[in-house]
Amino acid sequence: MLELQNINKIFGQFTPNENHALKNINLKINQGDFITIIGSNGAGKSTLYNIIAGTYAPTNGEIFLLGDPPHALRKITKQPEYKRAKFIGRIFQNPLLGTAGKLSLEDNMLLASYKGIRSLKINLNDKKREEFRERISVLGMNLEHRLKDNVELFSGGQRQALTLLMAVMSNPQILLLDEHTAALDPSNAAKVMELTEKFAREYNLTVLMITHNIHQAIASGNRLLMMDGGEIIIDIPKEKKEKLSVGDLLNWFKEIKHKDLDNDRILLG
Amino acid sequence: MAEVILIEGLIYGITALGVFISFRILDFPDLTVDGSFPLGAAIMAFCLLHGVNPALSFFLSFLGGCGAGLVTALIHSKLKVPSLLAGILTMTMLYSVNLRILENKANVSFLKIDTIFNQVRTFAESLGGGFVSGDVAIVIFMLFFAFILKILLDLFFYTDYGIAMYALGSNPQLITSYGMNQERIKGVGIALSNGLVALSGGLASLYNGYSDIGYGTGIIVAGLATVMLGEFLLRSNKIFWLTTRVLLGSILYRGLMFLARMYGYKIGMEPNDLKLMTGLLIIVCLFVSKNDIKHIVKKGLLNRKEGIT
């Protein structure tokens, strides 16, 4: 579904500040995978996302994505970000980045209801509004009657839940979640996480989720990747993941890197 | 007096609509306006002197403005130049272009030409009986003209493309995330904005009876003051009211300027002070919108009652 081959990313190559952010990443993601990615700061998680989404071009290596026609991998290494965004949904940590605050809820949902080039058609009608109302009621946040309100009036949790719904509505091949619950309070974070799992199940989504929380990484999803120093050091498939505990993960890390995982944010989060 | 304010308000209101698109909707401070306004006037003068059909000459003014806007947008997006600098570059280049279009004259008079405003005036007077005076007829003509433009603009912002353009100003990342090209939408928006400004420049030159190379000075500031004044008049998030309040703000602004010209001499003001007044007006507007004035006044009164001050 998504394939990365020998991806390297070097920032500031041939300068004194050279930073080898991704080292020879090979990754194959299958349809329906729900992958959690864990790693300390500077492990290369966000760089990996930026490479997949197209914000940065890789220094070398190739990216393939299943697109139309289905069942055929296409090379998307050189495709600009906005073009491959048709197949990739991405949610950021900051709830403000996923919705347009100055637009009403219905306008935001209209933007999300399909991707790509816009025409001079007026597509927002009462039938669409009814459909949006039905969709938004799934969130259980009492937003059904606020279709005409500007999104900037909503809380962070509401905006992030809406971002998630909009990303799902646009029907992406793969959904990239970048610590999307980290900026929310615990109850909203739990709510958004619950919705994420619900949508992933119902729409059989392929999801990649970065998290700093080791418990969350183990609890959700069916595959776990651990990154450190620009490499994927641990890749735990579904069968092993079910029996996985925090202790196991820490021991493995110690075996591989010959040092303790001493990141408070990961352990305590 | 009221007629003049209304006519000027509606003519410059079209400029304000353009400024509203670039500043408020796209969040793109676009200084091209100072060049595209006289560009519209210059194209109009060229068309009049060469006997081009009035409707076509309006359209050519609009197209000229679109072209100027497109140049700014291309400089901004292709060369990664900040929006302000891109606008200043185009504006400066337009000065020479405008002089060329005016055939190297700084000022072209339409005295001997029967402009569309003259025709409206003669038509109204030919009806006889003093039923509608010439100026009132022009007000009605401009009301129609501005209203049709406004409705077209509203319709545009109801379409998918218009909504995407609005979203671009609010959150550019969203546009990329949903598979649209930011640069293209921005280009179309800036072109549209400058097209409206140039159209308004053409109208202004027709109304004043001459086209001048110095028309553009301070147009952007006046437009911005207009947009801000309008924002005090109405609060809404509906595009219909957003554009309405721009036009209302323009009439209010012209009214204020008219008062300043009429009665300013009593406090020693000269016509030359108008630009300073416009700038101060913007500063006052910014101050009022930053600090909720009503709130401050109320608090002050309360404090006085309690004897704190």
Side-chain angles (χ1 to χ4, degrees):
Chain A
M1 138 110 264
L2 179 79
E3 217 175 308
L4 305 180
Q5 288 177 0
N6 303 318
I7 294 284
N8 277 288
K9 178 68 192 174
I10 306 171
F11 289 107
Q13 205 174 7
F14 312 123
T15 68
N17 318 330
E18 189 174 287
N19 175 15
H20 204 155
L22 289 179
K23 294 172 191 158
N24 233 1
I25 300 278
N26 281 294
L27 184 65
K28 206 170 182 175
I29 297 169
N30 302 313
Q31 179 78 46
D33 272 2
F34 190 132
I35 302 177
T36 53
I37 303 177
I38 194 165
S40 46
N41 293 327
K45 308 180 302 280
S46 294
T47 310
L48 181 70
Y49 268 27
N50 285 330
I51 296 269
I52 296 175
T55 317
Y56 303 146
T59 309
N60 51 48
E62 301 289 355
I63 310 166
F64 298 89
L65 180 72
L66 196 73
D68 6 278
H71 315 300
L73 281 176
R74 285 176 317 124
K75 200 197 278 187
I76 57 163
T77 320
K78 295 238 161 66
Q79 212 175 28
E81 187 179 2
Y82 75 91
K83 277 197 181 147
R84 61 173 102 161
K86 270 174 213 163
F87 309 102
I88 299 173
R90 189 175 184 192
I91 300 182
F92 297 88
Q93 184 177 355
N94 182 352
L96 306 183
L97 281 179
T99 46
K102 280 203 240 157
L103 263 64
S104 62
L105 175 56
E106 54 185 18
D107 288 349
N108 268 288
M109 291 183 81
L110 184 76
L111 275 180
S113 59
Y114 62 93
K115 284 187 163 185
I117 299 162
R118 306 286 139 158
S119 66
L120 284 175
K121 265 190 243 149
I122 299 180
N123 271 332
L124 187 65
N125 48 31
D126 282 342
K127 198 174 138 215
K128 264 269 192 287
R129 285 198 183 93
E130 197 47 51
E131 184 195 322
F132 290 164
R133 213 167 275 136
E134 221 165 84
R135 287 232 166 189
I136 198 92
S137 66
V138 176
L139 298 183
M141 287 181 160
N142 287 325
L143 293 176
E144 301 88 280
H145 307 295
R146 300 184 68 184
L147 278 183
K148 302 244 183 241
D149 281 2
N150 275 9
V151 170
E152 64 193 351
L153 303 171
F154 298 174
S155 73
Q158 285 172 327
R159 280 185 81 160
Q160 199 67 324
L162 176 63
T163 307
L164 184 67
L165 178 70
M166 280 164 57
V168 172
M169 273 170 74
S170 69
N171 226 342
Q173 300 272 8
I174 185 164
L175 191 58
L176 305 177
L177 308 173
D178 194 347
E179 288 193 67
H180 65 307
T181 59
L184 307 178
D185 65 81
S187 71
N188 271 321
K191 175 93 200 173
V192 170
M193 200 51 227
E194 190 188 305
L195 286 168
T196 310
E197 283 176 352
K198 179 177 142 81
F199 287 140
R201 238 187 354 261
E202 281 176 11
Y203 297 92
N204 190 26
L205 293 173
T206 310
V207 184
L208 236 68
M209 181 172 87
I210 290 180
T211 173
H212 256 114
N213 184 327
I214 202 165
H215 304 284
Q216 194 183 45
I218 289 172
S220 45
N222 53 26
R223 188 172 162 194
L224 189 146
L225 298 178
M226 190 171 205
M227 291 187 73
D228 192 73
E231 290 169 306
I232 297 175
I233 53 169
I234 300 174
D235 183 350
I236 300 165
K238 192 177 179 184
E239 311 82 57
K240 274 197 194 165
K241 189 169 183 297
E242 279 158 8
K243 288 170 277 178
L244 192 70
S245 73
V246 177
D248 293 341
L249 209 54
L250 296 183
N251 284 336
W252 273 336
F253 184 82
K254 200 171 172 183
E255 260 172 48
I256 295 169
K257 301 298 283 189
H258 306 293
K259 64 175 183 191
D260 279 321
L261 185 67
D262 53 359
N263 187 314
D264 288 347
R265 219 177 133 205
I266 293 187
L267 296 177
L268 302 175
Chain B
M1 175 192 141
E3 290 93 339
V4 176
I5 294 175
L6 276 173
I7 296 169
E8 285 195 349
L10 290 168
I11 290 178
Y12 288 91
I14 298 170
T15 301
L17 284 175
V19 172
F20 168 73
I21 293 177
S22 57
F23 267 78
R24 283 292 185 256
I25 290 189
L26 288 168
D27 202 13
F28 183 103
D30 178 24
L31 297 190
T32 320
V33 170
D34 269 19
S36 52
F37 188 84
L39 174 67
I43 293 176
M44 186 57 80
F46 183 86
C47 289
L48 279 183
L49 294 180
H50 290 83
V52 179
N53 164 313
L56 182 63
S57 45
F58 278 125
F59 186 64
L60 286 177
S61 295
F62 179 78
L63 273 191
C66 289
L70 213 54
V71 170
T72 302
L74 283 175
I75 294 173
H76 170 67
S77 60
K78 295 295 171 208
L79 302 177
K80 310 278 177 234
V81 174
S83 51
L84 280 174
L85 184 57
I88 291 172
L89 271 174
T90 317
M91 179 182 96
T92 311
M93 292 189 291
L94 279 175
Y95 187 83
S96 302
V97 174
N98 292 344
L99 273 176
R100 281 266 174 184
I101 297 174
L102 289 172
E103 290 162 347
N104 292 323
K105 279 177 276 184
N107 190 303
V108 171
S109 169
F110 306 155
L111 267 182
K112 288 178 195 149
I113 299 163
D114 195 21
T115 63
I116 188 148
F117 285 119
N118 289 343
Q119 284 164 4
V120 170
R121 207 184 291 262
T122 12
F123 175 73
E125 275 151 14
S126 73
L127 290 177
F131 188 56
V132 267
S133 75
D135 273 346
V136 174
I138 295 180
V139 171
I140 295 170
F141 171 78
M142 273 316 298
L143 269 176
F144 265 109
F145 196 92
F147 193 70
I148 289 171
L149 267 184
K150 179 197 130 51
I151 293 294
L152 284 176
L153 210 57
D154 288 352
L155 280 177
F156 173 71
F157 281 108
Y158 277 118
T159 63
D160 293 352
Y161 202 90
I163 291 174
M165 191 177 283
Y166 208 168
L168 174 69
S170 177
N171 181 0
Q173 177 61 45
L174 190 73
I175 293 303
T176 308
S177 293
Y178 287 102
M180 287 166 278
N181 190 344
Q182 280 187 31
E183 289 174 1
R184 193 170 301 164
I185 296 181
K186 206 179 266 178
V188 172
I190 299 296
L192 178 64
S193 151
N194 280 291
L196 287 172
V197 171
L199 182 60
S200 156
L203 278 167
S205 73
L206 282 180
Y207 182 67
N208 293 335
Y210 63 95
S211 177
D212 191 288
I213 188 70
Y215 260 160
T217 323
I219 282 292
I220 183 71
V221 179
L224 203 54
T226 299
V227 172
M228 285 176 177
L229 271 181
E231 279 161 12
F232 290 119
L233 296 179
L234 281 169
R235 279 191 196 285
S236 176
N237 65 350
K238 297 227 167 40
I239 190 71
F240 178 84
W241 293 111
L242 295 184
T243 49
T244 305
R245 77 183 183 189
V246 170
L247 289 177
L248 289 179
S250 176
I251 293 168
L252 177 61
Y253 173 79
R254 289 294 145 185
L256 286 176
M257 287 296 127
F258 192 85
L259 286 181
R261 274 185 306 211
M262 280 299 269
Y263 303 108
Y265 71 92
K266 288 191 176 164
I267 52 166
M269 252 175 67
E270 292 173 27
N272 297 339
D273 295 334
L274 280 181
K275 296 266 191 275
L276 177 68
M277 290 298 131
T278 311
L280 290 177
L281 183 66
I282 290 188
I283 293 171
V284 170
C285 286
L286 285 171
F287 180 79
V288 173
S289 57
K290 274 267 182 309
N291 313 285
D292 198 344
I293 276 293
K294 266 189 223 153
H295 191 69
I296 292 174
V297 172
K298 233 180 239 169
K299 211 166 73 183
L301 288 176
L302 277 179
N303 287 348
R304 194 168 302 155
K305 261 183 213 156
E306 288 161 11
I308 296 171
T309 46

